[in-house]
Amino acid sequence: MLEEANLSVGIVAKRCGVNVSALHFYEQKGLIRSWRNQGNQRRYKRDVLRRISVIKAAQKMGISLEEVKAVFAQLPNQRTPDKQDWATLSKAWQQQLNQRIAYLEKLRDSLTGCIGCGCLSMKNCPIYNPEDILADDGVGPLLLDKEAEE
């Protein structure tokens, strides 16, 4: 038996804790799908609640919507992730999150060592870059990134 699309935009938004505009945005990005009823109003199937929950969880972990879309695209027939899919997704995303946490901890520790005393000494500060000598190495906070990666 095929599930009927009978949840209104307002019900889905309220149930998921998002604005109606977020639902429209997710739909525009191809993350969720709606159908139109005879009155040309959007209607959603119940499984959209799980899809939006996955989207929100991923966003809280810093996973981009493009990455979520790519994962959804790998599911057969555009189906909603089930328990097994979530186990696979969350394991991969947990690894990304652990890498991000490790990077941020190292970055935090570098910053504390660099400016923790408040002196901002240009002789000892690893951020110091006289005459922009680091420009040839790339863009951004190169020394901080290097220290955080070590």
Side-chain angles (χ1 to χ4, degrees):
M1 177 174 140
L2 291 175
E3 179 189 359
E4 192 174 327
N6 60 6
L7 297 177
S8 71
V9 175
I11 289 172
V12 173
K14 183 176 182 180
R15 176 68 176 84
C16 294
V18 298
N19 293 325
V20 169
S21 60
L23 297 178
H24 296 173
F25 179 75
Y26 293 156
E27 191 170 344
Q28 179 186 19
K29 293 293 184 184
L31 296 164
I32 63 173
R33 184 174 175 200
S34 71
W35 287 261
R36 297 290 181 152
N37 66 9
Q38 290 181 352
N40 201 30
Q41 297 171 326
R42 281 184 170 92
R43 292 293 185 252
Y44 297 93
K45 292 182 180 181
R46 187 162 294 283
D47 69 345
V48 77
L49 302 175
R50 182 177 299 142
R51 285 180 85 88
I52 294 169
S53 294
V54 170
I55 293 166
K56 288 180 66 176
Q59 286 182 302
K60 286 182 180 182
M61 290 185 282
I63 305 298
S64 74
L65 292 178
E66 286 302 316
E67 290 177 273
V68 174
K69 183 177 179 179
V71 167
F72 283 173
Q74 294 174 8
L75 299 173
N77 302 319
Q78 296 183 338
R79 71 174 168 76
T80 296
D82 60 19
K83 186 176 181 179
Q84 184 177 352
D85 296 325
W86 177 248
T88 303
L89 286 173
S90 63
K91 188 174 185 176
W93 288 344
Q94 184 179 27
Q95 185 177 3
Q96 287 181 20
L97 189 57
N98 286 338
Q99 290 171 345
R100 193 173 299 130
I101 289 169
Y103 173 80
L104 289 172
E105 285 176 341
K106 289 179 181 177
L107 184 59
R108 177 202 61 210
D109 294 345
S110 294
L111 286 174
T112 301
C114 171
I115 61 174
C117 68
C119 73
L120 295 176
S121 168
M122 295 312 236
K123 291 181 181 175
N124 299 320
C125 181
I127 299 174
Y128 183 57
N129 182 19
E131 298 179 28
D132 199 21
I133 59 174
L134 293 174
D136 293 338
D137 295 344
V139 298
L142 298 170
L143 294 175
L144 287 176
D145 286 345
K146 181 180 176 186
E147 287 183 19
E149 291 171 357
E150 292 176 349

